Amino acid sequence: MEFAAVSSATQLGNFNPLRTNLQSSTQHHPLPFCYASFPSSSRRVCSCKAILSTHTPTSTHKMFGAHSVDIELSALTALSPLDGRYWGKVKELAPYLSEYGLIYFRVLVEIKWLLQLSFIPEIVEVPSFSESAKSFLQGLIDDFSVDDALEVKNIEMVTNHDVKAVEYFLKQKCQSNAEVAKVEVLEFFHFACTSEDINNLAHALMLKETMNSVMFPVMDKIVKALCDMAKDNAHVPMLSRTHGQPASPTTLGKELAIFAVRLSRERKDLSQIEILGKFAGAVGNYNAHVVAYPNVNWPYVAEQFVHSLGLSFNPYVAQIETHDYMAKLFHSLIQFNNILIDFDRDVWGYISLGYFKQITKAGEIGSSTMPHKVNPIDFENSEGNLGVANGGLSHLSMKLPISRWQARPTVRDLTDSTVLRNMGVGIGHSLLAYKSTLQGIGKLQVNEARLSEDLNQCWEVLAEPIQTVMRRYGVPEPYEKLKELTRGRTVNKESIRDFIEGLDIPEEAKTNLLKLTPDTYVGAAVELARTVENAVNIVNGSNI
């Protein structure tokens, strides 16, 4: 199950936020808003540099004593490693979570709201549009480009208001269509809206598209990879460790299956979170709507409009959408990440024990001074980025649901707006970590000889089944007798066999115990690993 798709023609039109040839370009830094990748004829002189790519000079100054030098924004000088060193691994988030993505979805909401108003008979000022006019308006969404976003940013430099800049941009763009360019029609862009009406729907769509198009597919790959590893290694016995000490054996496959099921469960919970939207005006009561058109059922209109975007409707709000669903979404991402940290650390430990070898790549170096090193860097990178992600997501989940009275969090300031612009940080580091984990999994080779070696040195783990069978047949003090035999003492195959031979239990039971070895004492682990997909809702990368 995914979040309901929002890209059908009946809802958002042909969703393609980047109507350029950038995705096929290999000569430039692959930022989706890469100014240098546009043909020279399409570049526009623009003083606004807020969303220019790493190939477009943005001057700053770095002080060296009394000297300063200009530094251009590039992959080397970007402050965030997501926009520099790691860009190639997270760039697919840019169409949704960048400044460009926010502007795109604001444009979409404004246009869809104008179209919605045209269907309301009482609003005679916005009559039903012709198919040609509808196609024109839809084209503004489908063909929205980076140059268009730059125009919005230029307008914002004058208005100092990002949402109002979108309204003015649309009024300018619609001058070329006589039907939409009528004054009485143009003034219904942003009709009865507060900025949060536009923003909350834009943010909701940003998150929804991000999860459906980018995050869920990578999550599914991780779960699928773990399922495959679990089944492939279902039969490989492994010494368990509890409190860091040898414990009853398991199989490598079953331990991997645990993580597949845990991650699958959390991924399923994520997909069931309702993405909410509001559209009720300045304080949530449709005040201006009712004064202008008292005979229109505005709560119903708003609900239908929000649903048309593929979102769930939140009818009880003040100025802002309450952001409770965001807190739930970010908390669930944190939990998914926590499970993956647990996995990363376990695999790191197994590599340290020699249970896994890592496939080496010619030319790679593990240590600058120790030539033999093959470090588990993918799992270390994953763990580190998951920690960074969880820090940002935790702040979002705790900050966003808290507001004062009817206004945005902390009255009259824009702290929620600033915070929401950082959604891409936590999600971006999560994506980077997921890909690092997948890369690490792809390098693993099971070292069955090392696994077997550890098991054969720990015959004391058979104390558990022996004392359990002794209980069945009424042998007094079974636990205490095995404790005396094994605790703090060297135990081997011979000492275990001698103990079993001396037991007063039926011969069949004794024979079965004598057949046990640390390798075979794995219970139902093999079957649990082989059937892991029965407990996981993901088949072939899709959720069912």
Side-chain angles (χ1 to χ4, degrees):
M1 182 189 303
E2 293 185 347
F3 294 136
V6 295
S7 55
S8 67
T10 58
Q11 293 181 347
L12 303 187
N14 298 322
F15 176 76
N16 187 355
L18 298 175
R19 304 290 292 186
T20 72
N21 62 352
L22 296 182
Q23 292 178 342
S24 62
S25 173
T26 59
Q27 297 179 355
H28 301 285
H29 190 304
L31 276 171
F33 35 81
C34 181
Y35 187 73
S37 298
F38 284 96
S40 57
S41 60
S42 69
R43 299 181 192 169
R44 305 177 186 181
V45 176
C46 174
S47 59
C48 171
K49 300 170 182 174
I51 62 172
L52 295 185
S53 80
T54 59
H55 283 278
T56 302
T58 298
S59 293
T60 183
H61 289 85
K62 182 176 181 181
M63 303 302 298
F64 293 96
H67 304 283
S68 65
V69 295
D70 286 340
I71 296 180
E72 295 181 356
L73 177 62
S74 72
L76 292 176
T77 60
L79 292 180
S80 168
L82 295 179
D83 297 315
R85 180 181 183 90
Y86 301 125
W87 172 254
K89 295 184 178 180
V90 299
K91 61 185 179 181
E92 60 262 53
L93 292 173
Y96 314 113
L97 296 179
S98 64
E99 183 77 1
Y100 167 87
L102 175 59
I103 297 171
Y104 167 81
F105 283 111
R106 283 170 170 165
V107 166
L108 184 151
V109 173
E110 292 277 13
I111 291 174
K112 291 296 185 180
W113 178 232
L114 181 67
L115 288 168
Q116 181 82 12
L117 294 173
S118 73
F119 298 133
I120 302 174
E122 291 86 350
I123 303 180
V124 296
E125 293 81 4
V126 187
S128 296
F129 290 117
S130 66
E131 289 303 314
S132 175
K134 291 178 184 178
S135 178
F136 169 79
L137 290 169
Q138 186 61 49
L140 295 180
I141 299 172
D142 295 341
D143 298 330
F144 189 77
S145 68
V146 174
D147 282 339
D148 291 329
L150 286 170
E151 285 191 33
V152 174
K153 297 301 291 186
N154 275 336
I155 297 170
E156 183 187 341
M157 294 183 70
V158 178
T159 64
N160 200 30
H161 196 290
D162 48 3
V163 177
K164 204 66 177 176
V166 171
E167 177 189 343
Y168 290 167
F169 165 79
L170 289 172
K171 287 179 177 179
Q172 291 178 8
K173 295 292 278 189
C174 289
Q175 294 298 326
S176 62
N177 185 284
E179 188 175 343
V180 185
K182 297 175 183 177
V183 174
E184 58 270 24
V185 174
L186 287 180
E187 290 306 320
F188 277 80
F189 274 119
H190 204 70
F191 174 77
C193 294
T194 185
S195 295
E196 177 63 11
D197 286 331
I198 307 303
N199 281 338
N200 90 95
L201 297 182
H203 288 129
L205 294 172
M206 290 165 71
L207 281 173
K208 194 166 192 177
E209 284 294 333
T210 293
M211 295 304 297
N212 282 347
S213 301
V214 181
M215 301 303 284
F216 283 158
V218 179
M219 290 177 171
D220 292 348
K221 287 181 181 179
I222 293 174
V223 174
K224 182 67 164 58
L226 291 177
C227 285
D228 290 344
M229 283 189 70
K231 290 184 295 181
D232 291 344
N233 297 283
H235 65 288
V236 178
M238 182 178 81
L239 183 67
S240 294
R241 283 178 170 81
T242 59
H243 302 274
Q245 305 303 307
S248 298
T250 181
T251 71
L252 178 60
K254 185 262 181 177
E255 299 310 303
L256 295 171
I258 292 173
F259 287 105
V261 174
R262 291 176 68 192
L263 290 170
S264 172
R265 187 181 295 123
E266 204 59 42
R267 187 264 194 239
K268 181 179 180 182
D269 288 347
L270 272 163
S271 71
Q272 294 176 342
I273 294 173
E274 280 191 293
I275 305 298
L276 298 174
K278 59 85 67 173
F279 211 74
V283 293
N285 301 327
Y286 309 95
N287 304 50
H289 309 62
V290 172
V291 170
Y293 295 96
N295 295 324
V296 174
N297 184 349
W298 287 109
Y300 175 77
V301 170
E303 181 176 7
Q304 293 301 303
F305 176 59
V306 172
H307 285 167
S308 75
L309 299 177
L311 304 172
S312 297
F313 181 60
N314 186 355
Y316 288 93
V317 295
Q319 183 180 82
I320 66 166
E321 201 288 315
T322 57
H323 301 325
D324 295 330
Y325 84 85
M326 286 187 176
K328 185 181 294 187
L329 175 64
F330 297 142
H331 273 304
S332 290
L333 273 173
I334 289 171
Q335 181 58 18
F336 186 96
N337 292 351
N338 281 338
I339 295 169
L340 200 58
I341 289 174
D342 194 19
F343 171 76
D344 288 337
R345 290 179 177 176
D346 274 12
V347 174
W348 188 96
Y350 294 148
I351 292 171
S352 178
L353 291 170
Y355 291 179
F356 285 116
K357 295 180 180 180
Q358 297 178 95
I359 299 172
T360 59
K361 185 177 180 181
E364 285 190 348
I365 293 173
S367 167
S368 64
T369 187
M370 294 175 282
H372 69 283
K373 295 290 289 296
V374 184
N375 295 329
I377 57 173
D378 296 306
F379 299 103
E380 292 169 343
N381 283 339
S382 176
E383 180 182 343
N385 278 291
L386 289 169
V388 174
N390 285 357
L393 293 170
S394 177
H395 178 67
L396 288 170
S397 63
M398 291 188 294
K399 161 66 179 171
L400 291 173
I402 301 172
S403 63
R404 297 177 184 172
W405 295 340
Q406 287 76 48
R408 287 185 175 87
T410 60
V411 178
R412 298 300 299 167
D413 74 27
L414 299 176
T415 56
D416 68 327
S417 177
T418 296
V419 170
L420 284 167
R421 275 188 162 87
N422 286 278
M423 291 192 301
V425 177
I427 295 175
H429 280 282
S430 297
L431 177 63
L432 178 58
Y434 301 165
K435 291 188 174 183
S436 292
T437 293
L438 280 170
Q439 185 167 304
I441 289 173
K443 296 178 182 178
L444 294 177
Q445 286 183 324
V446 178
N447 186 353
E448 293 192 41
R450 181 70 185 88
L451 286 157
S452 181
E453 179 186 353
D454 258 7
L455 281 168
N456 287 328
Q457 292 177 355
C458 293
W459 280 78
E460 63 268 25
V461 298
L462 297 184
E464 180 189 43
I466 294 170
Q467 66 98 5
T468 304
V469 171
M470 290 168 66
R471 288 175 186 274
R472 175 183 176 182
Y473 292 107
V475 178
E477 298 183 335
Y479 178 89
E480 289 72 18
K481 290 176 180 177
L482 267 299
K483 177 183 175 183
E484 177 67 22
L485 174 69
T486 61
R487 196 162 193 251
R489 298 189 179 188
T490 300
V491 180
N492 55 34
K493 178 179 179 180
E494 288 71 26
S495 60
I496 287 289
R497 289 182 64 88
D498 289 345
F499 184 85
I500 295 172
E501 292 285 6
L503 291 176
D504 184 17
I505 59 175
E507 284 301 315
E508 182 180 359
K510 187 178 294 186
T511 300
N512 288 335
L513 286 177
L514 288 170
K515 291 179 181 178
L516 272 182
T517 69
D519 294 82
T520 60
Y521 178 50
V522 294
V526 175
E527 186 63 20
L528 286 169
R530 284 176 177 166
T531 59
V532 60
E533 284 186 344
N534 293 342
V536 171
N537 291 323
I538 299 198
V539 179
N540 296 326
S542 300
N543 204 51
I544 59 173

